[in-house]
Amino acid sequence: MRLSRLVFQTLREAPKEADTVSHKLMVRASLIRQVAAGVYEWLPFGWRAVLKAAAIVREEMDRAGAQEVLLPQLSPRELWEESGRWGAYGKNLMRLKDRHERDFALGPTHEEVITDLARATLRSYRRLPATMYQIQTKFRDEMRPRFGVMRAREFMMKDAYSFDVDDAASERSYETMRVAYNRIFTRLGLNYRMVDADSGPIGGSFSQEFMVLADAGEDIIASCTSCDYAANMEKAESAPLPAPEGSAEAAPEAISTPGTKSANAVSKLLGRPIRDIAKLMFYQVGEELVGVMVRGDHEINEVRLARLLGVDEVVMAKADTIIAKTGLPIGYMGPVDLPGIRVIADRDLAAMPSIVTGANRVDEHLVHVKPGRDFTPALVSPIRKACEGDPCPKCGQPLKLMHGIEVGHIFKLGLKYSKAMHAVFLDEGGKEQMMVMGCYGIGVTRIVAAAVEQNHDDRGIIWPFSLAPYKAMVVPVGAEPDLVAAAEQLYVDLEAAGVEVLFDDRTEAPGVKFADADLLGVPVQLIVGKTFKARGLIEMRRRGTKQGIEVSPQDAVAQVKSLA
Ligand code: ATP
Ligand code: MG
């Protein structure tokens, strides 16, 4: 491809709204252009990277025995009513009406549609197992679209769905996908971790996420420094902490803490470590007000709390409700003699020998409070978020927290959709049985952003070979006719050898050419300049390294071909 013909426009400055390195670079290098919030055009150079990612995903899905289909993006409300998600999916579901006033959704995911296909076609046990996938645009009306195509409202996803006769068979389908996913992300050259994930309120199911490690990642994962344990923040556990030294022989004693409400402030006032100060928070669970206690240095894991209480999600109670129900002063509430309220204590708080709590009186706290002696929690359970350095739940070695970008998610669905939508097959005895399902997503366009986030320097993108829109770029520097002719010949020879090559045939200043080459990030730069004038040689340089090697034009072709 000749750069003079390529539809692109490199920018020296990133637009103001670009909020991550990958977003900035992708806009500056003309990979993408925003049309509306969270809605992007892919320009030719960027689109080639998406196609590379899609090709690897497709190859591995096919290798795993999955069959490619294409499902409609418009799906009728009736299917979503069957699963109960027309209501439950909420505002992320893009809805529209046709000319007859019939409701449709623009597919954010395709469980309903594929289950409808499966129940119509996979009627006998002889047809199972079956896994189908598609690579297609998805729509989600995200509350806060951001980071360019990383969290867009229209994006490309590979979604796959497996159908099996029973749990054991479904387990095998899941395992096949897990292997395929690891192959995909390894081939893409990404530094990633597979982590255990919370699978939502569906009982008994299980899911894992694939996280590309990057500081810009919105997710936090906990990963063991010694064994293979890794989980996302919602799911991460830790082994019990050793209880600090000390005892509370003394009885609880009220002390004056005027104007001191937060755990931090109490810790400062009393000169005691923050871990000794208890935090008591209130949640509204249906009609009930529930108190939840963690150490001052810990945070409540609300997903875990919801699972413990058997609800979809928990919400913090409003101050008015707390006051109306208890008549006690906010900021000074504690578990000792707290009337009529169920208190759930985190396991590590319950193990403390002596803590400081609110005294249920304005401007007062209690010291020497011993959990179990001075108050009895309704429930003691691990309900806090894991912290850096916590002991691993598997091996006890320290956990490390890292930011990650979720690029894939695999999920055991069990009977959730088969039950709701009556997806059954006939077993050997001619009896109806529910299909056991799994679903498996990959954010194909998000992969490209994640790869840029992980592979760049201050000059631009450094494409991993697997995703590079072009493998080599010929950059003539100089206007001498023999130099220009040699560059042209090199380009023609590379194309003839089947190398995907970009040719900077523009009459730009050398500085502009080098800057654009580095910004675009094509892995091999072939510079026809100084060394050509002196010795007839090409300077071959890997993007991201300073020093190149000098090679003859013939050797350049052979070497690039062997890399590609
Ligand atoms: P997230 O937690 O990031 O919102 P999700 O868990 O809702 O994602 P899934 O339903 O698991 O997403 O979708 C499968 C994959 O699609 C995700 O792993 C991610 O890579 C990608 N994806 C999800 N939402 C978006 C989006 N708004 N923009 C781009 N890619 C997305
Ligand atoms: Mg997910």
Side-chain angles (χ1 to χ4, degrees), residues 140 197-198 207-209 211 219 232 406-411 441 446:
R140 292 185 184 181
D198 182 77
S207 87
Q208 286 169 308
E209 289 170 343
M211 295 282 191
D219 293 289
N232 74 11
E406 181 194 322
V407 288
H409 197 171
I410 57 178
F411 215 118
R446 187 183 277 186

Side-chain angles (χ1 to χ4, degrees), residues 56-69:
I56 290 175
V57 170
R58 182 174 275 120
E59 258 176 52
E60 294 299 335
M61 283 297 113
D62 291 345
R63 184 199 305 274
Q67 306 172 50
E68 186 164 3
V69 294

